[in-house]
Amino acid sequence: MTGTPERIRVLIADDQPLVRRGLALILAPDPAFEVVAEADDGQQAVDLAHRHRPHVVVMDIRMPVLDGVQATERIARELPACRVLALSTFDMDEYVVAALRAGASGFLPKDVSPEELSAAVRTVHTGEAAVAPRLLTRLISTYVTAPRPRRSPSPVPVSDLGELTPREIEVWHLLATGLDNAEIASAMGISVSTVKNHITSIFAKLSVRDRAQAVIAAYESGLVEARSANPAG
């Protein structure tokens, strides 16, 4: 194997200088990452993302000028190759769901370990959602029925579900109830690679970017109800 793998270009956006510096100091020493810029508000994050074209933006959700949700929506729309990893002070936060709706590929609480931050940046860079499946389900089932800001995309219409095959709907339902790919494969008696193929098709038919948005779509379409996703509470 020849050549050096491309470094993951990261933009850090947070209105607290100490948090920005701390995140940069975690990532910068790792040769897999290059911290290309730091932003102290959402508008600056959008502007710097256009200038530096990072692979991943680590985005605080609550910032002045333009909040992290609005900044995420703009970056997802204007720079579709760029992934956003949302940061929140709390695990259970309705703003996290708003950020996921807007196009964020995952979220982390601000007290994560350096190893968790590095792993999450790598994960969203590959196009996967950096949220533990069951935590994602619990978060979305808690907040998805709350009134959405007007800027949020519309739910997936139930009529559009006709484009999915019965098998794909079954996979989507299991995904939305918090199972990972291996667990879905076991439940359906199929291979993990087949599950991945189904999920790729589901994403395309629903016009969603990743697992997080697919779970949100399942709740908003009525495929899954909050009370059925977490029977154990």
Side-chain angles (χ1 to χ4, degrees):
M1 185 173 179
T2 60
T4 303
E6 183 182 15
R7 299 174 77 187
I8 301 172
R9 297 164 55 81
V10 181
L11 166 64
I12 297 170
D14 195 295
D15 62 334
Q16 299 179 50
L18 284 176
V19 174
R20 286 200 312 275
R21 282 281 76 209
L23 294 171
L25 288 171
I26 289 171
L27 296 175
D30 190 324
F33 304 115
E34 179 185 3
V35 178
V36 295
E38 298 177 25
D40 57 18
D41 63 59
Q43 182 60 57
Q44 191 176 58
V46 174
D47 294 341
L48 289 173
H50 276 277
R51 185 184 310 167
H52 294 281
R53 301 298 172 110
H55 297 114
V56 177
V57 178
V58 178
M59 179 84 74
D60 183 23
I61 292 177
R62 306 191 192 199
M63 289 188 292
V65 185
L66 190 70
D67 69 31
V69 175
Q70 293 171 302
T72 295
E73 183 182 35
R74 284 193 53 188
I75 290 172
R77 183 178 69 249
E78 298 168 12
L79 298 168
C82 179
R83 301 287 171 171
V84 175
L85 178 62
L87 287 179
S88 174
T89 304
F90 305 103
D91 282 352
M92 299 299 288
D93 186 340
E94 62 187 305
Y95 287 90
V96 171
V97 173
L100 293 170
R101 281 197 185 104
S105 294
F107 81 92
L108 290 175
K110 286 189 176 181
D111 60 355
V112 295
S113 69
E115 294 77 16
E116 288 171 324
L117 174 64
S118 298
V121 172
R122 286 184 170 91
T123 296
V124 299
H125 177 53
T126 66
E128 296 292 326
V131 191
R134 285 185 176 80
L135 178 57
L136 174 64
T137 300
R138 183 165 63 93
L139 175 71
I140 292 172
S141 68
T142 301
Y143 293 108
V144 79
T145 56
R148 290 174 297 149
R150 285 175 294 176
R151 61 177 175 268
S152 297
S154 300
V156 176
V158 175
S159 60
D160 286 356
L161 303 188
E163 297 183 10
L164 298 174
T165 67
R167 201 69 160 164
E168 288 169 346
I169 291 175
E170 185 178 359
V171 170
W172 184 26
H173 182 273
L174 293 173
L175 179 157
T177 56
L179 301 191
D180 61 26
N181 290 357
E183 290 168 332
I184 294 171
S186 177
M188 296 181 65
I190 58 179
S191 69
V192 172
S193 62
T194 299
V195 171
K196 291 179 179 178
N197 290 339
H198 282 314
I199 290 175
T200 298
S201 178
I202 291 165
F203 288 178
K205 290 180 179 180
L206 297 178
S207 298
V208 298
R209 288 180 59 164
D210 53 38
R211 201 179 197 93
Q213 290 193 334
V215 173
I216 291 172
Y219 281 92
E220 294 187 330
S221 69
L223 179 72
V224 176
E225 296 181 4
R227 65 176 178 272
S228 70
N230 255 326

